[in-house]
Amino acid sequence: MSRLLDLARQPLLVALALIVVLLIVGELLSPGFASPTQIMRLLIVAALLGIVAAGQNLVILGGREGIDLSVGGVVSLSAIIAGNLMNGQDAGIPLAILGCIATGALFGLANGLGVTLLRIPPLVMTLGMLGVLQGLLVVIRQGIPSGRAAPGLSQFVTQPFLFGLPGIIWLWVAIGLLLAFLLSRTVYGYRVYAIGSNEQAARMAGVPVAAMRVSLFVLSGVFAAIAGICLLGYSGSSFANVGEQYMLPSIIAVVFGGTSLAGGKGGYTGTMAGAMMLTVLQGILTTVNIDESGRQMIFGATLLLLMLFYGRGRAMRA
């Protein structure tokens, strides 16, 4: 029994097992749910969530109750900027990518400076930034579809690119490999875990804590911007609130993957599995006609259950 309990507390194993179970349930509810075509679509949607969760993962790993609630706003703004710069033309892709990444980095920098220099709690700082972004989006477009994705971007996201898989899947894999290397094989990664585990000890050891924390928020903004570009390619056009759906699921994917909300423990591999699990779950909820408000309630309850099951923060590390 103790062996089973130990296995149940391995987030990656639990996520993979739940993905299989959910696919079976989905197939029973709607024949064809687990077909190759549908699984490919689920992978594309999971990649979008997983890219957003990559930045969220880094911020949470950095500790001090770090969390980025502004990722949905950055996704929305980046999708609109990319759509306007491309306007259906492949020639606009390079400028759109540069513009969106710069925008995401700028808002991430603002979050990081607010948290480190002004000592505003991350939850409050990023929630306030989300409000700023939402207001900016209303001023820019007032909810009207803005711009169009370039054909090349849409093909990259939705069509086979290499070995029968869309380009966004390879992009997600590349991000996963990059973060695995960054967190486990570089000084930067060691410092992330250090400030997440014990900020005071890290500072005494010479780690530039403030600069590290700012960089984590900048990376979160960059990853959210990349997701916004890819989301434009997936949907073809963008709306002012198109990224709101990613705020809560990105946190759940990180926690489900085994990362402590107090920081200093976890990694991105489990987050990738958590993103896939949530995507399959969302597909099932859509199949049984659960609307967006109902899905958000279920996601919120899922986060609470995960906190109870895996434990929270420093208590978990102890």
Side-chain angles (χ1 to χ4, degrees), residues 65-77:
E65 306 299 323
I67 201 167
D68 190 351
L69 298 180
S70 67
V71 290
V74 175
V75 170
S76 298
L77 182 61

Side-chain angles (χ1 to χ4, degrees), residues 11 17 36 78 130 136 142 155 174-175 177 229 244 251 262 276 283 297:
S78 297
L130 175 62
L136 182 61
Q142 298 182 351
Q155 291 174 8
I175 289 174
L177 293 174
I229 298 170
E244 291 183 1
I251 301 170
M276 185 63 196
M297 292 174 62

Side-chain angles (χ1 to χ4, degrees), residues 5 38 96 98 104 117 126 128 158 163 170 180 242 258 285 309 312-313:
L5 289 175
Q38 177 67 4
L98 291 175
L117 295 184
T126 58
T158 62
F163 299 119
W170 292 109
V242 70
L285 295 178
F309 184 74
R312 184 175 183 275

Side-chain angles (χ1 to χ4, degrees), residues 258-272:
T259 297
S260 166
L261 277 178
K265 177 182 173 62
Y268 185 58
T269 304
T271 298
M272 295 177 75

Side-chain angles (χ1 to χ4, degrees), residues 5 30 61 70 81 114 116 130-131 134 146 171 180 186 197 218 227 252 254-255 271 290 297 311:
L5 289 175
S30 177
L61 274 176
S70 67
I81 291 175
T116 56
L130 175 62
Q134 289 175 334
S146 177
L171 175 62
T186 68
S197 298
V218 170
I252 298 174
V254 172
V255 176
T271 298
I290 302 295
M297 292 174 62

